Structure formats: C-alpha cells, structure tokens
C-alpha cells in the first residue's frame, strides 16, 4: 500500500490518499481542540491511544455485525480505512445526563436515563454544529429516510455493545458521538473514531472522568486519564 498526497487536515487527524482509490490512510495527531476550535492544546500520546483504541473497538464491532470503515492498523498512529462520503451529522447517543444535555435542560450530570437517547448535530463549523431534527435532515437533503433508519439502528447497536464492553472494564459509558459514511455502493458504515475524544467515560466506582472533559474543563491529569482508559481496555483484552 503506497501512501500518496495529503487530502485533508482536521483538528485531530490527517487524511492521505493511497494508490487504491477506495482506500485512505488516517493519521492521528496529539492536537486537541474544544468548543469548535476556540480552545487549543496538545495531549501527549493521544494520537497513539485514539488510533489503537478506535481500531480495537471497531474490530470488535465488526465481529458483532456493525460494518465500519476499518481495514488495517499500519502503525502506532496510522490506519488504512475504506474511503467514504461522510454524512455531515454528528450522531450522539446518551445513557446518562452530561455536557450539553445537562446544560440545555438545567439538570445535574449523572442522571441515568430509562433508555438511551439518539440525537443529531449538523456538522458545520461556521454554524457551531447545531442540533438538528429528522425533518430538517430530510429538508436539507443530508441523508435519506432509509439511511437515517440504518444510522439510528447502527448507533443503538454500537451503544449496546460499547456499554457492555466498558462496563466489563469498570467504566460507565455516559455518552458518545459517532459519524457515518457511504461506501461507493451506498452502504452506510461507521466511520471517524471511537476514543476518549468522542466518548464520555467515567470510572464506575469513583465517577472519575477518564476522557476529553479533563481537557475541556481544565481538570488536570489529562494524559494520565487517556493512559488509564487505554490500560483498562488492554487489561480487558489480556
Ligand atoms: P455534548 O453534546 O454533551 O457536548 O457531547 C456529547 C458527546 O458527544 C460527548 O461524549 C462528546 O465527547 C461527543 N461530542 C459531541 N460533539 C463533539 C465534537 O464536535 N467533537 C468530539 N470529538 N466529540 C463530540
């Protein structure tokens, strides 16, 4: 597999073309941003952890019947993925109140929901990724009804799987963000990453935050939290 030109540089990853038009290489950076890029920093070793964690979780999800863009881990920071056309939505699943949910409705963090919620944000930096409802997704032509049915079903299956997995690691999966893409034949697959950047992960016993909220909220111990959550995953696999 030959790495070709850089196609795109995002906040946390770079994407490169390969000699196969159906495959791309994703390279994970240590750069960290929050609040739509208004807060900037770096988390030493984050790129390695996010790459390896996302790949391990996506491989498990594939085995559980969830199609993903994952093809092969190439190095500590680089992964070969299927080229997709990203559906411009953040698909957010919540099991417990936190973050923007707690703020929007004026409730405490930590309320366990009777059943998971699924919501969408329109991926648009200029608009600050606004919350969007299904009728508006269809009105804007962002995805079809069939695609949204597939995305919601996959998001719920990802949640059921990840919740169980993290629970076995002594971790509560509070909420997370997924992105989906279309393969050339239109099949919807899970894309982007699953990592402490995109999930809220709390120690089940102490409630300690083991995710990017430590960076967003200046809680300190950011690198240690990323290392600890990776250690839990590796211990589970061992
Ligand atoms: P909230 O809407 O409460 O801010 O975020 C809900 C969940 O989605 C959290 O786990 C958060 O990490 C994730 N999330 C929401 N928006 C983004 C985003 O723009 N980037 C990343 N990395 N995660 C996000």
């Amino acid at each position: 597999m030959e790495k070709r030109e850089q196609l795109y540089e995002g906040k946390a990853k770079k994407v490169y073309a390969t000699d196969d038009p159906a495959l791309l290489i994703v390279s994970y950076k240590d750069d960290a941003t929050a609040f739509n890029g208004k807060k900037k920093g770096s988390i030493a070793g984050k790129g390695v952890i996010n790459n390896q964690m996302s790949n391990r979780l996506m491989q498990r999800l594939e085995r559980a019947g969830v199609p993903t863009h994952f093809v092969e881990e190439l190095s500590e920071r680089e992964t070969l993925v299927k080229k997709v056309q990203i559906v411009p939505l953040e698909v957010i699943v919540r099991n417990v109140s936190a973050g923007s949910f707690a703020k929007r409705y004026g409730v405490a963090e930590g309320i366990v929901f009777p059943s998971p919620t699924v919501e969408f944000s329109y991926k648009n930096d200029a608009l600050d990724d606004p919350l969007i409802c299904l009728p508006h997704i269809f009105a804007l032509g962002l995805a079809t009804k069939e695609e949204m049915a597939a995305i919601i079903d996959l998001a719920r299956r990802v949640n059921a799987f990840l919740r169980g997995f993290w629970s076995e690691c002594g971790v509560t999966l509070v909420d997370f963000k997924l992105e989906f893409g279309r393969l050339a034949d239109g099949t919807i697959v899970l894309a982007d990453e699953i990592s402490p950047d995109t999930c809220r992960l709390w120690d089940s016993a102490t409630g300690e935050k083991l995710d990017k909220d430590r960076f967003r909220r200046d809680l300190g111990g950011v690198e240690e939290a990323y290392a600890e959550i990776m250690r839990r995953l590796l211990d589970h696999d061992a």
Side-chain angles (χ1 to χ4, degrees):
M1 182 56 50
E2 197 184 307
K3 188 172 168 184
R4 296 258 170 99
E5 76 277 11
Q6 183 180 310
L7 299 175
Y8 168 80
E9 177 162 8
K11 293 169 197 148
K13 298 190 279 292
K14 292 180 187 174
V15 179
Y16 297 88
T18 71
D19 53 350
D20 183 336
L23 299 175
L24 300 174
I25 292 173
V26 175
S27 178
Y28 285 73
K29 306 189 288 183
D30 284 350
D31 296 356
T33 64
F35 314 117
N36 195 15
K38 290 188 236 348
K39 180 180 170 84
K40 288 193 176 72
S42 174
I43 302 172
K46 173 174 87 81
V48 173
I49 288 174
N50 285 9
N51 182 42
Q52 295 178 346
M53 182 177 293
S54 190
N55 291 343
R56 281 165 187 263
L57 294 175
M58 287 213 188
Q59 283 171 278
R60 283 177 179 273
L61 284 164
E62 285 273 358
R63 292 200 290 273
V66 174
T68 78
H69 71 163
F70 176 81
V71 177
E72 186 189 353
E73 189 167 290
L74 299 175
S75 69
E76 274 193 332
R77 288 180 186 270
E78 291 195 331
T79 294
L80 191 63
V81 297
K82 292 174 189 162
K83 183 176 183 171
V84 298
Q85 182 194 41
I86 288 284
V87 177
L89 296 173
E90 295 189 338
V91 179
I92 294 168
V93 182
R94 299 179 194 270
N95 297 304
V96 178
S97 68
S100 69
F101 181 97
K103 194 169 169 200
R104 178 172 303 117
Y105 300 115
V107 296
E109 296 200 314
I111 301 165
V112 179
F113 300 150
S115 59
T117 67
V118 181
E119 77 203 41
F120 313 99
S121 291
Y122 177 29
K123 263 173 72 74
N124 184 318
D125 281 343
L127 299 176
D128 260 346
D129 297 344
L131 195 64
I132 188 167
C133 58
L134 281 173
H136 292 181
I137 291 171
F138 302 139
L140 290 172
L142 303 180
T144 65
K145 289 190 173 157
E146 293 72 26
E147 286 174 335
M148 290 312 296
I151 285 172
I152 292 166
D153 177 57
L154 289 171
R156 290 190 180 282
R157 283 160 56 193
V158 170
N159 183 50
F161 176 82
L162 289 181
R163 218 176 158 177
F165 175 82
W166 283 118
S167 150
E168 289 165 14
C169 302
V171 172
T172 302
L173 177 62
V174 172
D175 57 28
F176 57 95
K177 182 260 302 184
L178 301 175
E179 294 185 26
F180 291 88
R182 301 175 185 99
L183 297 179
D185 69 359
T187 310
I188 293 284
V189 300
L190 180 62
D192 194 46
E193 67 181 277
I194 307 173
S195 73
D197 274 17
T198 62
C199 303
R200 284 198 174 93
L201 300 160
W202 294 355
D203 182 289
S204 305
T206 65
E208 189 189 359
K209 296 184 197 314
L210 299 172
D211 57 59
K212 195 174 165 190
D213 270 353
R214 299 205 77 84
F215 169 78
R216 296 187 185 105
R217 302 180 187 188
D218 295 320
L219 298 175
V222 183
E223 278 88 1
E224 291 79 359
Y226 276 70
E228 172 62 17
I229 198 74
M230 189 64 191
R231 192 186 63 72
R232 302 270 184 113
L233 184 145
L234 294 175
D235 280 357
H236 182 285
D237 282 1

